[in-house]
């Protein structure tokens, strides 16, 4: 059955370097179908839907859309609104009023759940609406997906950053801690391991939320590396937790900030890095300790876009339009690895993705719980794209000493 009506596309949650590829893929593909009367874009995600704040993307030139596709961050702007049942009823009321028959929402866990609830509302009302979730998140934590659009470019940024950090730390040794995004999943911090080329390269230690973080063992790990190499480079997920599953930042601090959803604010300050750095200084008597918190730059850095990530982000948008308009079905677009490196796109039931979180599998984390494995490196390396560059060292032999033999 062919359903005639408008398409509405929205973007939610944190932006990425390639989210606009998905937007443009969906827009251009949808504009090919005769049953589509208009293609709208909602400003500020679901917030823009309930406020009827739409752009008519039917009137946007193809040339400008292609320029937008190459631009990081959410062209339609975003929102942190987390729709509940009542919120989604209001979304559905607006969709019906505007004769929206195809709803595409580009986002992560919460966005997929919003699509699920809106889809249910349409079924209850016996209103023909095709609802498709288009995956996006730098955290790489959507269920069913092998990986998600946005992760490859963010991972490439982290890899390049730690290549530079390692070079700096090798020239002027000390301890360095880089705190990387990742509330519940360590995929992004794990990407730092791809910076290693030589045996003594950093990061020497990597800590992820999937394993309990023990401060005493952390100090032992740092001391062992420092004694061996005279320096130590560390990558830490912002969401590392203690034995009770409590974020380390809250167990080490008396007062912590919370976001609008009641979650402990992990990003936006250097608190975790400073705390860990001070522990090293005071307990290991190492003077040169430096820390950084990788903030928004991870998400939308224009100079580190993976071509693999860019192409896949475009295709998930295109596939959303094809599934909805050709096949008249609902669901979440999921990415599946099919070869040494190739992928397939499938439509998965919304209930299998919505509101759930994928974490790193056990075989990606080493037995000492302080680094990733070769299996993770093999998994993540293709996602960085075809133009990665690595550091090199001088190989010339040393000149024999004359005065200080």
């Amino acid at each position: 059955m062919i359903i005639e009506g408008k398409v509405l596309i929205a973007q939610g949650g944190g932006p990425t370097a390639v989210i606009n590829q998905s937007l443009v893929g969906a827009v251009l593909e949808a504009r090919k179908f005769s049953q589509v009367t208009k293609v709208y874009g909602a400003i500020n995600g679901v917030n823009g839907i309930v406020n009827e704040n739409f752009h008519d993307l039917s009137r946007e030139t193809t040339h400008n859309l292609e320029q937008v596709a190459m631009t990081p961050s959410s062209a339609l702007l975003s929102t942190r609104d987390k729709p509940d049942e009542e919120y989604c009823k209001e979304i559905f009321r607006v969709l019906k009023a505007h004769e929206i028959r195809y709803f595409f929402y580009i986002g992560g866990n919460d966005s997929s759940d919003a699509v699920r609830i809106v889809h249910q509302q349409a079924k209850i009302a016996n209103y023909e609406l095709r609802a498709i979730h288009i995956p996006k998140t730098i955290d790489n934590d959507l269920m069913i997906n092998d990986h998600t659009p946005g992760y490859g470019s963010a991972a490439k940024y982290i890899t390049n950053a730690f290549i530079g950090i390692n070079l700096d730390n090798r020239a002027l040794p000390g301890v360095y801690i880089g705190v990387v995004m990742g509330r519940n999943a360590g995929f992004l911090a794990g990407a730092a391991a791809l910076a290693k080329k030589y045996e003594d390269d950093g990061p020497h230690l990597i800590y992820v939320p999937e394993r309990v973080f023990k401060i005493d063992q952390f100090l032992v790990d740092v001391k062992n590396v420092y004694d061996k190499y005279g320096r130590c480079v560390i990558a830490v997920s912002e969401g590392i937790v203690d034995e009770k599953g409590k974020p380390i930042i809250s167990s080490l601090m008396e007062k912590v900030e919370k976001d609008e959803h009641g979650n402990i604010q992990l990003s936006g300050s250097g608190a975790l890095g400073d705390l860990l750095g001070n522990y090293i200084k005071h307990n290991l008597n190492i003077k040169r300790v430096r820390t950084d918190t990788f903030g928004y730059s991870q998400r939308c850095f224009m100079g580190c876009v993976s071509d693999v990530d860019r192409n896949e982000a475009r295709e998930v948008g295109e596939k959303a339009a094809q599934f909805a308009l050709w096949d008249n079905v609902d669901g979440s677009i999921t990415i599946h690895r099919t070869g040494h490196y190739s992928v397939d796109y499938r439509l998965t039931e919304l209930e299998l993705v919505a509101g759930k979180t994928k974490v790193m599998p056990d075989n990606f984390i080493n037995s000492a719980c302080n680094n990733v494995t070769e299996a993770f490196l093999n998994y993540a390396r293709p996602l960085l794209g075809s133009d990665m560059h690595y550091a090199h060292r001088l190989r010339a032999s040393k000149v024999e000493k004359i005065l200080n033999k």
Side-chain angles (χ1 to χ4, degrees):
M1 180 178 70
I2 295 177
I3 307 170
E4 184 175 287
K6 300 183 182 77
V7 170
L8 177 63
I9 308 172
Q11 297 170 313
T16 80
V18 296
I19 188 173
N20 290 330
Q21 290 286 351
S22 299
L23 168 66
V24 172
V27 171
L28 293 180
E29 196 70 19
R31 294 198 318 194
K32 297 176 183 178
F33 290 83
S34 59
Q35 66 262 44
V36 173
T37 56
K38 293 280 186 180
V39 179
Y40 289 171
I43 304 301
N44 294 118
V46 289
N47 182 276
I49 298 176
V50 296
N51 288 296
E52 300 179 80
N53 191 4
F54 301 151
H55 275 317
D56 185 356
L57 300 179
S58 312
R59 302 176 66 85
E60 187 63 80
T61 67
T62 300
H63 171 75
N64 193 52
L65 283 171
E66 291 293 359
Q67 300 305 305
V68 169
M70 298 297 289
T71 304
S73 190
S74 305
L76 291 171
L77 312 182
S78 191
T79 180
R80 284 297 188 186
D81 285 6
K82 189 175 182 179
D84 56 15
E85 192 105 4
E86 288 305 311
Y87 198 120
C88 287
K89 283 182 181 179
E90 187 62 23
I91 291 174
F92 175 64
R93 193 173 76 87
V94 173
L95 298 184
K96 192 174 180 182
H98 284 268
E99 296 183 349
I100 304 296
R101 294 291 182 173
Y102 302 94
F103 174 42
F104 304 142
Y105 198 14
I106 309 168
N109 314 73
D110 292 340
S111 302
S112 61
D113 205 34
V115 175
R116 179 187 65 81
I117 300 172
V118 170
H119 178 238
Q120 288 178 343
Q121 294 293 326
K123 289 178 70 174
I124 292 170
N126 199 28
Y127 180 79
E128 288 290 348
L129 175 73
R130 299 284 73 82
I132 302 281
H133 166 244
I134 301 174
K136 169 248 45 161
T137 172
I138 68 167
D139 291 334
N140 199 35
D141 62 353
L142 290 183
M143 294 295 290
I144 311 301
N145 289 271
D146 175 80
H147 57 278
T148 49
Y151 171 68
S153 295
K156 183 176 182 179
Y157 173 86
I158 295 298
T159 301
N160 277 287
F162 271 90
I163 289 173
I165 288 161
N166 176 69
L167 292 170
D168 189 298
N169 185 263
R170 184 168 177 263
L172 293 169
V175 174
Y176 174 88
I177 302 172
V179 180
V180 180
M181 281 183 175
R183 178 178 294 275
N184 298 307
F187 290 101
L188 204 52
L194 295 164
K196 290 176 67 72
K197 179 178 180 180
Y198 301 98
E199 189 273 334
D200 61 337
D201 276 345
H204 307 98
L205 300 169
I206 298 175
Y207 298 92
V208 296
E210 289 85 349
R211 294 292 183 269
V212 170
F213 182 86
K214 299 177 181 178
I215 191 68
D216 291 340
Q217 185 58 51
F218 170 69
L219 293 174
V220 171
D221 293 344
V222 174
K223 185 178 187 306
N224 288 340
V225 171
Y226 194 83
D227 288 347
K228 184 175 182 180
Y229 298 122
R231 65 192 189 96
C232 183
V233 176
I234 308 161
V236 178
S237 285
E238 63 183 3
I240 53 172
V241 296
D242 62 17
E243 292 91 339
K244 296 179 181 178
K246 186 178 179 182
I248 291 296
I249 190 170
S250 63
S251 65
L252 296 179
M253 292 180 68
E254 292 182 4
K255 185 177 181 181
V256 294
E257 295 182 28
K258 293 189 177 182
D259 64 20
E260 60 270 28
H261 301 309
N263 297 316
I264 291 172
Q265 193 75 49
L266 301 177
S267 301
S269 77
L272 178 60
D274 291 344
L275 285 165
L276 295 177
N278 286 332
Y279 262 84
I280 292 171
K281 286 180 182 178
H282 296 153
N283 290 278
L284 299 182
N285 197 30
I286 299 173
K287 294 181 179 180
R288 193 170 193 273
V289 180
R290 300 289 184 270
T291 65
D292 283 324
T293 297
F294 289 32
Y296 289 161
S297 57
Q298 299 165 90
R299 300 201 296 211
C300 298
F301 193 76
M302 197 162 186
C304 272
V305 179
S306 159
D307 56 348
V308 169
D309 195 26
R310 181 176 63 237
N311 295 338
E312 291 176 356
R314 181 61 163 261
E315 287 194 297
V316 293
E318 293 172 342
K319 292 300 291 185
Q322 290 176 1
F323 276 118
L325 291 154
W326 271 346
D327 301 326
N328 198 31
V329 290
D330 312 271
S332 179
I333 308 298
T334 52
I335 299 177
H336 302 260
R337 195 174 303 214
T338 58
H340 174 63
Y341 193 74
S342 58
V343 297
D344 188 21
Y345 305 99
R346 303 172 193 167
L347 192 70
T348 297
E349 292 179 24
L350 286 163
E351 289 75 12
L352 298 179
V353 179
K356 298 179 173 65
T357 299
K358 182 181 78 172
V359 297
M360 291 179 74
D362 290 342
N363 68 319
F364 281 5
I365 306 169
N366 72 351
S367 58
C369 303
N370 62 11
N371 218 312
V372 295
T373 63
E374 193 68 28
F376 173 80
L377 298 178
N378 291 336
Y379 160 82
R381 189 172 285 113
L383 308 182
L384 303 190
S386 61
D387 62 345
M388 271 298 300
H389 299 286
Y390 292 90
H392 293 267
R393 295 183 182 180
L394 296 171
R395 296 185 297 189
S397 59
K398 288 186 177 180
V399 176
E400 185 177 352
K401 294 179 181 179
I402 296 176
L403 300 176
N404 297 298
K405 290 187 179 180

